[in-house]
């Protein structure tokens, strides 16, 4: 992993080969720190892979992305066109565009001891995956007519269909424990009072 300064040194070295520079004078030949941060904010380049204190750390993919951006800009493409061309690009696709010499892709810190803390995992690039097809909306629920069975204390139980007199009696009997609980908690209306 490299600091931003180290990454920019590698970008500069990579661009010395086969790079004619941007066709207009408005674009820098090598991005500066501010440009790299802006590229990361806009999604043109991945955000830093890790942080060491307040220092952002970058990897091979960042080098490939930055050099690919500059190579495409040297062809006269706008940043919007570059962003479209590189959206979701694999490391292999970036390497084909960037043409970075192999020596620059090797990190200097690969020869660290086994005691070194492991690198933090790189977060998945969810934005680079194609969007899943939208699921069709479920069909609307079928409307079911409801009928109310009046119980004491102003309680009404809604049931589908049309209950018979025997159904209403059975529902009232089955609801007795619920009615007793509601009465004990003072949640029933007094039938003598108009509601």
């Amino acid at each position: 992993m490299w600091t931003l300064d180290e990454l920019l040194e590698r970008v500069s070295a990579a661009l010395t080969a086969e790079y004619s520079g941007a066709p207009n004078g408005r674009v820098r030949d090598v991005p500066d720190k501010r440009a790299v941060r802006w590229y990361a904010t806009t999604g043109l380049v991945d955000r830093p892979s890790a942080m060491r204190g307040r220092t952002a750390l970058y990897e091979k993919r960042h080098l490939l992305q930055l050099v690919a951006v500059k190579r495409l800009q040297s062809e006269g493409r706008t940043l919007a066109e570059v962003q479209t061309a590189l959206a979701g690009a694999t490391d292999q696709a970036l390497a084909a565009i960037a043409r970075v010499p192999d020596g620059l892709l090797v990190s200097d810190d690969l020869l660290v001891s086994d005691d070194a803390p492991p690198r933090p995992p790189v977060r998945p690039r969810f934005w680079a995956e194609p969007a899943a097809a939208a699921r069709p909306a479920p069909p609307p629920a079928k409307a079911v007519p409801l009928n109310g069975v009046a119980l004491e204390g102003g309680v009404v139980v809604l049931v589908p269909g049309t209950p018979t007199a025997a159904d209403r009696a059975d529902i009232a009997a089955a609801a007795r424990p619920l009615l007793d609980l509601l009465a004990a908690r003072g949640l029933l209306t007094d039938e003598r009072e108009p509601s």
Side-chain angles (χ1 to χ4, degrees):
M1 297 185 124
W2 308 300
T3 64
L4 185 52
D5 288 328
E6 293 167 338
L7 175 66
L8 290 175
E9 286 174 15
R10 288 172 187 267
V11 170
S12 178
L15 289 174
T16 58
E18 302 176 41
Y19 183 64
S20 60
N24 60 29
R26 298 183 324 206
V27 178
R28 292 177 183 259
D29 286 341
V30 177
D32 60 6
K33 292 179 182 182
R34 185 175 174 202
V36 173
R37 290 184 188 112
W38 185 75
Y39 290 169
T41 301
T42 60
L44 194 59
V45 172
D46 293 348
R47 291 196 179 274
S49 297
M51 297 294 287
R52 186 182 306 139
R54 294 182 57 172
T55 303
L57 299 175
Y58 300 86
E59 296 183 279
K60 169 185 162 184
R61 181 171 177 82
H62 297 98
L63 174 62
L64 294 173
Q65 287 174 319
L66 288 169
V67 175
V69 166
K70 287 301 166 186
R71 295 234 191 259
L72 293 175
Q73 280 185 314
S74 73
E75 296 171 3
R77 296 191 189 188
T78 65
L79 275 182
E81 293 169 334
V82 170
Q83 191 168 26
T84 301
L86 298 181
T90 63
D91 286 354
Q92 293 79 15
L94 289 169
I97 296 168
R99 301 181 307 277
V100 174
D102 289 337
L104 294 174
L105 294 173
V106 177
S107 179
D108 296 334
D109 64 353
L110 290 179
L111 303 174
V112 292
S113 69
D114 292 336
D115 316 354
R119 286 185 177 182
V122 177
R123 296 186 315 203
R125 299 176 56 242
F126 66 88
W127 60 90
E129 298 296 322
R135 293 183 182 178
K142 182 180 174 188
V144 177
L146 298 175
N147 286 295
V149 176
L151 302 173
E152 65 184 65
V155 175
V156 177
V157 175
L158 297 176
V159 294
T162 306
T164 64
D167 293 332
R168 284 194 285 286
D170 289 344
I171 291 170
R176 174 54 40 210
L178 175 61
L179 293 172
D180 292 342
L181 175 69
L182 294 173
R185 297 208 176 163
L187 298 173
L188 297 180
T189 62
D190 187 355
E191 292 179 0
R192 293 170 285 171
E193 293 180 13
S195 53

